[in-house]
Amino acid sequence: MEWYHWMALATLLFCKTLFVIRLIEIIKRGAPNDLSKPSGSVAKGVRYSYTKAMLPQNKESAYLHPPTFGAGLIFHGGILISILAFIWFILTAIFGWATPEIIPPLCCLCLLGSSFCGVAILCKRVFKRALRALSCADDYLSTAIVTLFQLATAGYFYHSDPLPYYAIASLFFLWLPIGKTRHLLYFFAARYQLGFFYGRRGTWPQ
Amino acid sequence: MITQEQKEKALAILADRADPKLQTHLNSCVRCGLCADSCIYYKAYGEAQYIPAAKVNMITSLYRRYHTTEGKLLPGLVGTRKLNEETAQKMVDLFFGSCTLCGRCAKHCSIGVDIPFLVGKGREMLAAMEIIPKSLQATADMAIQTGNNMGIPVDEFRDTIQWMEEELQEELGDAEAQIPLDETNKQILYTLNPREPKFFPLSIAAMAKIFHAAKESWTISSNYYDVTNYGFFCGNNAQASVMARNLYEETYRLQAKRLVLGECGHGTRAIRWEGPNWLKTTYDFDALSALELIGEYIRQGRIHLDKSLNQKVCTLHDPCNLVRNGGLLKEMRFVVRSAVTHFTEMTPCGTDNFCCGGGGGNLAMSEYNERRLKIGKIKADQIRQTGVKVVITPCHNCVDQLTQLNHTYKLGVEIKTVAEIVADALIINKE
């Protein structure tokens, strides 16, 4: 283990700590204390919120914008792969494990695709007037950092210099709980609460 | 100028750590902008400021600036805004003049951000600073001072009810038919939108006819019959609580078993869903909408309808507070389909319906009249595409807006409430 491994692990710990604190806060606040008499089922509403309500045919944000929706899905898939790859790289650094041959080309292919989606999302924000008007530095920075992390992960599979990779990974983990990327945690809470609201009132499931 | 005290009161609303929803929704929006097409304001104007995410950003940028470490340390990087006079005026325009709280954006949000909840918090902040559009605040104040938002004197109300009772007796040919006022120990305390006694008294007679046919034991209070709650629209929870408490206590005073909420979308939502939380108590009586009650009568066979009495092609406008925010999609269709021969849906409809444009207190805010009619064109176009002769909606606010759209866009349709269409189809058993 080199110093840059420790640096990246320290930022991961920082990221994890902030998310855990926020998760505890969310859990402590609990479900909304609604005193009205329910006419539907909260459990069914929440289940629907996480499942069918998320299907592209049920959301205008998806079915009216298929390229953006598709790009978003692939981009988020790339984040998951990048985080798993980071853990794998750390484990190989500790235990000296070898990466199976199939993994690097497969991951690289996926990550190049997801990075392309990241760039496309960023371009959309830069060039679309309405979206630009809505955006702040965080919007550009978050997409750029996450895209960069995916590209760096793809490159590192082919034994590029570890320093840039771990520096970028550290930046990613530092920014994750600070920027709008923190929706990683709040997304799940928001969908729960929306399911609670519509479920209790009998609006969901439809 | 905004004083420091006003600012502190407003910002304290965003610091409420006891609210289980607030922190989550303040931290969830990624400003993807995909909610734009779900908003009637953006669809009508195509301006970025009307994107629901922009309204969310107005409040979250304040939250980040004053309540987060990153906002204090890196304000330029994470997108923050200072609360000053300019911001407050922009908030008024966005939260009151550019959002009907219809909730269509939340349903279609890729994350699930409860956007109308956040806009409601923005309205609460403005209420705390006492910066509410004057016309809207005047409507709420009138309800607090007189018991109804139109300031109808009790004597005038009693006269209207007596007049409608005579109309009812004449129509039914039954001198015993009644609109009971202030009677105790009845099954139902029925509430009204003050627009009914003021402008549409026949809708009171229509509901009375249904009660008569169902042989219901019911009454109306001459003091507290107003189902509307403009405190809710103002974001003034103290006023909203007073209005909800008036109906709550009147139900006890008259010892009614059920509180039936007249055809008013936001009023039903305010009393049925928000009221117990404002009053911090559960109701130990049933609070239900007139629509649900009519559905109950049909299912129980307490009223019988002859669809052939309503031959014109009808469509239904779904009030946002009853359908998307109230879960009455199926019930509304059950009742209407039981009462009319020809029914067709608008596209889109149900939980995907577009607001008529009159929601969120818009009808009371004359300063936004032009905007209200422009966003209403979406609904007008929907109605025109159906080719119907009658538009039915169980909400007097929607009735008002649809009536204005009918006139402005020359739709040539009749606008009716559910009670009116059901009353037209009633088979009255003379025995």
Side-chain angles (χ1 to χ4, degrees):
Chain A
M1 291 273 280
E2 302 293 333
W3 64 272
Y4 44 78
H5 291 123
W6 290 110
M7 175 183 72
L9 280 175
T11 58
L12 176 63
L13 183 67
F14 165 78
C15 171
K16 201 176 155 187
T17 307
L18 277 188
F19 276 130
V20 168
I21 290 169
R22 287 171 185 170
L23 179 64
I24 291 168
E25 279 177 359
I26 290 171
I27 292 169
K28 266 167 72 178
R29 278 183 216 117
N33 181 26
D34 194 334
L35 297 170
S36 62
K37 189 178 164 190
S39 62
S41 159
V42 168
K44 284 181 184 171
V46 169
R47 201 157 50 238
Y48 184 84
S49 179
Y50 283 120
T51 53
K52 285 188 181 167
M54 293 291 292
L55 293 176
Q57 65 267 29
N58 289 330
K59 287 195 302 183
E60 279 185 352
S61 52
Y63 66 73
L64 292 181
H65 308 273
T68 307
F69 176 71
L73 276 185
I74 296 168
F75 184 55
H76 282 79
I79 301 169
L80 181 66
I81 293 172
S82 299
I83 292 173
L84 292 175
F86 172 81
I87 296 167
W88 176 253
F89 292 148
I90 291 289
L91 291 175
T92 56
I94 297 170
F95 300 108
W97 295 341
T99 305
E101 278 183 19
I102 185 72
I103 297 294
L106 203 63
C107 283
C108 273
L109 194 68
C110 293
L111 289 172
L112 286 175
S114 62
S115 302
F116 175 77
C117 291
V119 172
I121 290 167
L122 197 57
C123 286
K124 187 182 172 192
R125 194 171 285 281
V126 171
F127 294 113
K128 204 173 170 198
R129 196 169 49 87
L131 202 49
R132 199 168 58 237
L134 187 66
S135 305
C136 63
D138 178 17
D139 296 302
Y140 302 102
L141 202 59
S142 289
T143 314
I145 289 173
V146 175
T147 305
L148 200 61
F149 180 47
Q150 296 185 34
L151 279 173
T153 306
Y156 193 54
F157 270 112
Y158 286 97
H159 307 292
S160 59
D161 186 358
L163 197 54
Y165 170 72
Y166 283 103
I168 290 168
S170 301
L171 179 64
F172 170 76
F173 288 122
L174 273 179
W175 188 251
L176 201 58
I178 293 171
K180 70 172 186 178
T181 38
R182 65 188 178 281
H183 76 271
L184 163 73
L185 171 70
Y186 290 106
F187 163 79
F188 296 100
R191 287 227 69 87
Y192 169 81
Q193 286 165 356
L194 202 66
F196 184 101
F197 178 87
Y198 285 141
R200 192 175 173 84
R201 296 180 181 212
T203 304
W204 280 355
Q206 280 188 304
Chain B
M1 272 300 282
I2 294 175
T3 64
Q4 186 61 24
E5 191 190 351
Q6 281 177 302
K7 210 166 129 176
E8 279 168 12
K9 278 184 184 170
L11 291 171
I13 287 164
L14 298 182
D16 182 4
R17 299 237 155 219
D19 187 325
K21 286 178 76 171
L22 185 61
Q23 301 301 316
T24 292
H25 292 281
L26 284 171
N27 283 290
S28 296
C29 182
V30 293
R31 294 175 291 281
C32 66
L34 298 178
C35 49
D37 293 310
S38 302
C39 177
I40 47 175
Y41 284 92
Y42 183 78
K43 283 179 90 71
Y45 285 90
E47 292 174 21
Q49 61 171 332
Y50 294 124
I51 298 175
K55 297 164 198 170
V56 169
N57 197 38
M58 173 58 78
I59 192 165
T60 54
S61 58
L62 290 170
Y63 162 75
R64 287 192 292 271
R65 172 72 179 80
Y66 295 99
H67 297 301
T68 68
T69 310
E70 58 269 26
K72 286 171 188 163
L73 296 176
L74 311 162
L77 208 55
V78 294
T80 65
R81 191 189 314 261
K82 282 186 180 171
L83 181 55
N84 52 28
E85 182 68 29
E86 192 192 347
T87 304
Q89 290 312 318
K90 189 74 189 154
M91 285 169 77
V92 171
D93 191 67
L94 284 186
F95 298 152
F96 286 102
S98 317
C99 179
T100 63
L101 303 171
C102 77
R104 196 169 188 277
C105 49
K107 197 220 162 205
H108 288 288
C109 172
S110 53
I111 298 277
V113 181
D114 194 338
I115 298 166
F117 167 77
L118 290 178
V119 171
K121 285 289 164 192
R123 288 187 179 201
E124 280 183 40
M125 290 173 75
L126 291 164
M129 293 190 282
E130 297 177 20
I131 311 174
I132 301 290
K134 285 190 174 61
S135 49
L136 185 64
Q137 188 58 62
T139 312
D141 291 343
M142 182 64 81
I144 296 286
Q145 287 157 17
T146 68
N148 70 86
N149 73 43
M150 295 207 152
I152 305 169
V154 174
D155 288 347
E156 188 183 319
F157 178 71
R158 285 176 173 276
D159 286 348
T160 306
I161 294 297
Q162 194 181 344
W163 167 38
M164 282 303 106
E165 190 173 82
E166 287 160 10
E167 289 282 323
L168 183 71
Q169 289 167 351
E170 195 179 313
E171 187 189 345
L172 297 172
D174 182 352
E176 301 296 309
Q178 274 190 317
I179 302 184
L181 270 181
D182 299 319
E183 294 189 6
T184 54
N185 275 310
K186 297 289 181 180
Q187 276 296 316
I188 284 170
L189 171 62
Y190 183 62
T191 59
L192 306 166
N193 185 315
R195 285 168 201 274
E196 295 180 76
K198 193 80 176 171
F199 304 120
F200 308 104
L202 289 174
S203 73
I204 304 172
M207 196 63 201
K209 192 175 164 188
I210 296 170
F211 281 133
H212 178 82
K215 297 184 172 56
E216 186 58 270
S217 140
W218 69 294
T219 191
I220 298 176
S221 160
S222 57
N223 290 311
Y224 295 114
Y225 54 85
D226 185 356
V227 68
T228 70
N229 194 312
Y230 279 77
F232 172 55
F233 283 150
C234 287
N236 187 329
N237 289 343
Q239 283 194 329
S241 303
V242 170
M243 294 174 205
R245 187 170 294 283
N246 285 343
L247 291 183
Y248 175 79
E249 288 179 350
E250 196 66 354
T251 309
Y252 277 104
R253 192 182 73 79
L254 294 173
Q255 297 165 52
K257 310 289 180 297
R258 308 175 94 184
L259 175 62
V260 175
L261 307 160
E263 294 186 76
C264 176
H266 89 273
T268 300
R269 177 178 179 174
I271 305 302
R272 163 76 177 87
W273 294 106
E274 318 296 345
N277 301 313
W278 290 326
L279 302 180
K280 298 187 178 13
T281 183
T282 52
Y283 295 161
D284 46 13
F285 51 81
D286 270 351
L288 70 161
S289 67
L291 187 83
E292 291 168 283
L293 184 73
I294 296 170
E296 214 177 273
Y297 288 160
I298 297 170
R299 283 196 186 85
Q300 292 171 353
R302 289 179 69 179
I303 59 172
H304 299 282
L305 305 179
D306 179 357
K307 290 181 181 190
S308 69
L309 295 171
N310 284 317
Q311 284 287 348
K312 290 180 184 168
V313 186
C314 301
T315 192
L316 192 53
H317 164 65
D318 294 282
C320 309
N321 281 315
L322 293 180
V323 175
R324 195 161 32 242
N325 299 310
L328 293 178
L329 183 146
K330 287 178 185 159
E331 193 64 6
M332 203 177 306
R333 278 153 182 78
F334 166 70
V335 171
V336 170
R337 283 179 184 278
S338 302
V340 303
T341 313
H342 307 289
F343 177 75
T344 186
E345 290 279 15
M346 286 191 224
T347 308
C349 62
T351 56
D352 282 342
N353 79 312
F354 285 113
C355 174
C356 60
N362 245 356
L363 272 161
M365 294 185 278
S366 50
E367 49 271 65
Y368 301 115
N369 275 351
E370 196 184 325
R371 212 181 273 180
R372 171 168 58 80
L373 289 173
K374 182 159 179 177
I375 57 169
K377 186 172 184 300
I378 294 167
K379 181 57 64 180
D381 289 343
Q382 273 191 289
I383 293 170
R384 203 190 305 278
Q385 279 162 15
T386 60
V388 298
K389 296 290 176 205
V390 181
V391 180
I392 304 163
T393 189
C395 169
H396 278 277
N397 264 7
C398 297
V399 166
D400 261 16
Q401 169 75 348
L402 293 173
T403 303
Q404 291 187 40
L405 296 180
N406 194 16
H407 174 74
T408 306
Y409 297 105
K410 298 181 174 42
L411 299 175
V413 294
E414 283 176 71
I415 315 292
K416 289 194 165 192
T417 63
V418 169
E420 285 166 352
I421 207 84
V422 169
D424 286 345
L426 268 180
I427 303 168
I428 302 290
N429 186 349
K430 299 278 182 189
E431 291 168 16

